[in-house]
Amino acid sequence: MKTWWQDLQQREQQLILGGSIALLAVILWAFVWLPYQQNKDSLQTQIHARGQQLVEITQIAAQAKAAGKSPQTANSTAARGNRSLLQITDESARAAGLAAALKRIEPDTDKQVQVWLENANFDKLITWLEVIEGKYSIRIESASINKVSKKTSGAVNARISLREQ
């Protein structure tokens, strides 16, 4: 290759060297700079979109917070009376027809309880959870619901963590 280069005239060497530099510049532009710029523009667009989402979420959170202080909260306080979370959970589960399935209710804190149910009717369980959430403003922190067996239709075992709002 060195011999080939030396056999070229100086003008040909300059032309090849100039073309190589130009080709290198085009390759760098096409495969380094252009993708970098496109990625940068894409990220800026995403940042702007996330900023807009943040503004919307902040507004929705403010509305939800304001709604939480609405008459629904007053209704849930009136529905509770002077009863503890433990009492409300026990009474409402029994009223929902889950007395036989109710195995244990254990307080975690003043405002949180764990509930264990075995062979509970799934439909009654879901209805009960809707009632305590809507009527008493008790939030479901976590729930683990498992089907008892393939042979038993609609029966589940559940471990549910409830928190007073």
Side-chain angles (χ1 to χ4, degrees), residues 2-110:
K2 190 175 186 181
T3 308
W4 172 79
W5 181 257
Q6 290 174 349
D7 287 343
L8 294 175
Q9 294 179 5
Q10 186 176 357
R11 186 172 176 188
E12 291 173 333
Q13 288 177 351
Q14 289 173 347
L15 184 63
I16 291 173
L17 190 60
S20 298
I21 292 172
L23 181 62
L24 181 62
V26 168
I27 289 172
L28 285 175
W29 177 81
F31 294 105
V32 176
W33 182 255
L34 189 60
Y36 168 77
Q37 281 299 107
Q38 289 172 341
N39 191 30
K40 180 182 160 194
D41 293 343
S42 172
L43 289 175
Q44 285 177 337
T45 303
Q46 288 178 1
I47 289 171
H48 179 70
R50 297 288 192 260
Q52 293 290 25
Q53 287 176 344
L54 179 62
V55 168
E56 292 172 8
I57 289 171
T58 305
Q59 290 171 349
I60 291 169
Q63 290 172 353
K65 190 173 182 180
K69 296 177 183 177
S70 68
Q72 182 183 6
T73 304
N75 291 341
S76 68
T77 304
R80 281 186 193 170
N82 290 330
R83 297 178 296 170
S84 70
L85 176 60
L86 193 64
Q87 285 177 303
I88 293 169
T89 303
D90 183 54
E91 291 171 8
S92 62
R94 293 181 189 285
L98 295 169
L102 194 58
K103 294 302 173 198
R104 183 169 59 171
I105 301 175
E106 185 177 288
D108 273 356
T109 63
D110 289 345

Side-chain angles (χ1 to χ4, degrees), residues 106-114 116 159 161-163:
E106 185 177 288
D108 273 356
T109 63
D110 289 345
K111 296 190 180 261
Q112 186 168 347
V113 296
Q114 297 286 328
W116 284 266
R159 181 172 184 232
S161 178
L162 302 172
R163 179 177 289 279

